[in-house]
Amino acid sequence: MLDFSSLLLAAALSGTCLSVTMFAIWFTAPRARFVLTVACGILVLVTHVIVFWRYTREPNPWLCQTALALLSLGFLALSLSAMQYLGVRDHSRAVLPTLLAMAICAGVTYLGFDGVGFILTYTTVTVLLASIGVMFWIKGGGHDRGILLVVSALSGVCGLSFGLCGAVLLVKGQWVLGVAPDNWAERLNSVVAVACMTALGALTLSLHHLQAQIELKAETLTDPLTGLMNRRALNSLYGERVFGPFMSVAMFDLDHFKRTNDVYGHPVGDRVLCRFAAIIKKYDRAGVHAFRLGGEEFALVMSRMTEDKAYDLASKIGVAFGTEVVPTPRGPLRSSVSGGIGFGAEGGSSLDEVLAEADKALYAAKHAGRNRVLVLDKTTKADGPALRSA
């Protein structure tokens, strides 16, 4: 049977291994800042365990205050890591109350009420762990939903064990201790804390791995210049879809783009591409997805939309782009775009079939003088006037 000191040393050893693993992961992936914060938090908690173990052997007011401060700081760091992972930016909500509680704890401990200091610290840790559990429960979703629910449960269990430690001291009225508290709640907390922290460390690794996979997938499906989805994303999202009569694809090609690059230079050409991407992105919403196919070619997939509405939407994009002015050393630059639309069929069409139809319509728009959107077999629209630039 392990005694209390052995449990503390086991917790320190487990935490050290976790911390070293987290630091190693962060060195290989510096962008995963939440992993670094977790590693620092666990390292602070390991230091707390060592100081607390020393305090159990040589009771000293300064060791007591140091151990309590390190315990609060360690779990504050874990709380901040949760905020980093979930994208919560207002860190002051955790930092300020924790620092205030630490200051009060240091004051009462200095006055000799170390039992009150332990109660305050256990309460602070319980609140921090509860906040971690609530954040993961509320904000968790998507691919990592299952893992976040487990993290939430483990945080709750660990927080409950610290709450029991404080409750035992409170019920017994142990305001002044003079030594480290040693009761059934403390022993239970040592076991629960080691188990939960080990599990949380393993889950942190899983979250990092999952986040890395999601980021890698996002990078492979995103055009780095414009931020739009690329052709691979188009095939991934719609390659197996059946295009019915209320689905369509508009293809766009910037007019005279090669000449723009030759006359104004590629940096200006990139700015023109980004301007068009910004315009088409404004219409990117549920059922409407924008893509950069490569070079100066773009596509817009429209779902749950009639042919007339699809044509109007594509035309608005062309007109809006015509109003854009890009400043250059040679003077202001205006550009235009040609577009063609392909539609799904009653019996269903594949992505390739709709793209082929849109490409033919785009070629017709280029041949008809550019700066317009055409639809095959829609003579009233195909013979219409070119889009005008304001």
Side-chain angles (χ1 to χ4, degrees):
M1 183 78 178
L2 292 175
D3 58 14
F4 191 40
S5 295
S6 298
L7 289 174
L8 291 176
L9 292 177
L13 179 60
S14 174
T16 301
C17 293
L18 277 175
S19 182
V20 170
T21 302
M22 297 296 175
F23 277 118
I25 291 175
W26 177 75
F27 277 122
T28 61
R31 289 193 301 176
R33 295 183 179 179
F34 81 99
V35 175
L36 174 63
T37 309
V38 171
C40 292
I42 293 177
L43 189 60
V44 172
L45 290 176
V46 168
T47 307
H48 153 76
V49 171
I50 295 173
V51 173
F52 187 72
W53 172 78
R54 183 65 181 270
Y55 177 63
T56 61
R57 292 175 172 270
E58 299 177 15
N60 180 292
W62 292 109
L63 284 176
C64 179
Q65 291 194 35
T66 303
L68 294 179
L70 289 172
L71 185 62
S72 295
L73 285 176
F75 282 102
L76 173 60
L78 295 184
S79 179
L80 294 178
S81 72
M83 291 181 174
Q84 286 177 323
Y85 182 81
L86 297 173
V88 180
R89 297 185 177 182
D90 188 10
H91 295 174
S92 61
R93 293 188 301 178
V95 174
L96 296 181
T98 302
L99 294 180
L100 177 61
M102 289 173 59
I104 296 174
C105 177
V108 297
T109 304
Y110 177 77
L111 294 175
F113 296 95
D114 54 341
V116 177
F118 274 98
I119 294 173
L120 287 174
T121 300
Y122 289 149
T123 302
T124 301
V125 171
T126 300
V127 172
L128 287 172
L129 284 167
S131 68
I132 293 174
V134 170
M135 283 190 295
F136 278 118
W137 182 271
I138 294 177
K139 291 185 173 291
H143 299 84
D144 51 3
R145 178 63 175 173
I147 299 177
L148 297 188
L149 291 178
V150 177
V151 172
S152 178
L154 289 174
S155 299
V157 171
C158 193
L160 180 61
S161 70
F162 277 101
L164 286 174
C165 292
V168 169
L169 296 178
L170 184 63
V171 170
K172 291 184 177 182
Q174 293 180 308
W175 317 124
V176 179
L177 295 172
V179 294
D182 185 6
N183 52 57
W184 66 269
E186 292 286 344
R187 295 173 183 272
L188 175 63
N189 174 256
S190 298
V191 176
V192 171
V194 171
C196 287
M197 294 308 297
T198 302
L200 287 172
L203 290 173
T204 300
L205 298 179
S206 298
L207 288 173
H208 166 66
H209 179 66
L210 184 59
Q211 187 182 57
Q213 285 184 319
I214 294 173
E215 290 178 353
L216 179 60
K217 183 177 181 181
E219 289 177 358
T220 60
L221 299 179
T222 304
D223 173 55
L225 176 63
T226 63
L228 296 177
M229 290 183 286
N230 58 21
R231 185 182 290 271
R232 180 178 294 181
L234 174 63
N235 290 326
S236 176
L237 291 175
Y238 293 100
E240 303 298 326
R241 291 282 297 273
V242 175
F243 283 69
F246 294 101
M247 289 189 69
S248 57
V249 177
M251 290 185 64
F252 298 94
D253 189 281
L254 303 191
D255 297 330
H256 305 296
F257 186 70
K258 184 179 183 303
R259 187 172 66 188
T260 298
N261 278 332
D262 292 341
V263 175
Y264 296 93
H266 288 278
V268 172
D270 288 345
R271 287 163 59 191
V272 172
L273 290 172
C274 290
R275 286 290 183 92
F276 182 77
I279 290 173
I280 198 173
K281 196 180 296 184
K282 292 180 181 178
Y283 297 90
D284 194 323
R285 56 182 182 271
V288 181
H289 294 142
F291 305 85
R292 183 189 178 195
L293 302 183
E296 67 271 27
E297 291 187 342
F298 296 81
L300 189 71
V301 178
M302 295 167 281
S303 304
R304 300 186 297 276
M305 195 173 295
T306 64
E307 294 186 5
D308 287 339
K309 287 186 177 180
Y311 176 80
D312 290 341
L313 180 58
S315 298
K316 287 179 181 178
I317 292 173
V319 171
F321 182 61
T323 65
E324 290 290 310
V325 178
V326 177
T328 75
R330 290 175 171 267
L333 171 63
R334 290 179 181 268
S335 302
S336 62
V337 65
S338 299
I341 308 178
F343 297 96
E346 289 287 348
S349 302
S350 67
L351 173 63
D352 289 339
E353 290 172 335
V354 178
L355 283 175
E357 180 182 335
D359 191 54
K360 290 179 181 178
L362 174 59
Y363 177 80
K366 291 282 189 180
H367 186 71
R370 297 182 172 84
N371 192 28
R372 66 193 70 211
V373 176
L374 298 187
V375 179
L376 287 182
D377 301 325
K378 304 292 182 181
T379 55
T380 56
K381 292 173 183 175
D383 295 337
L387 298 175
R388 295 179 180 177
S389 299

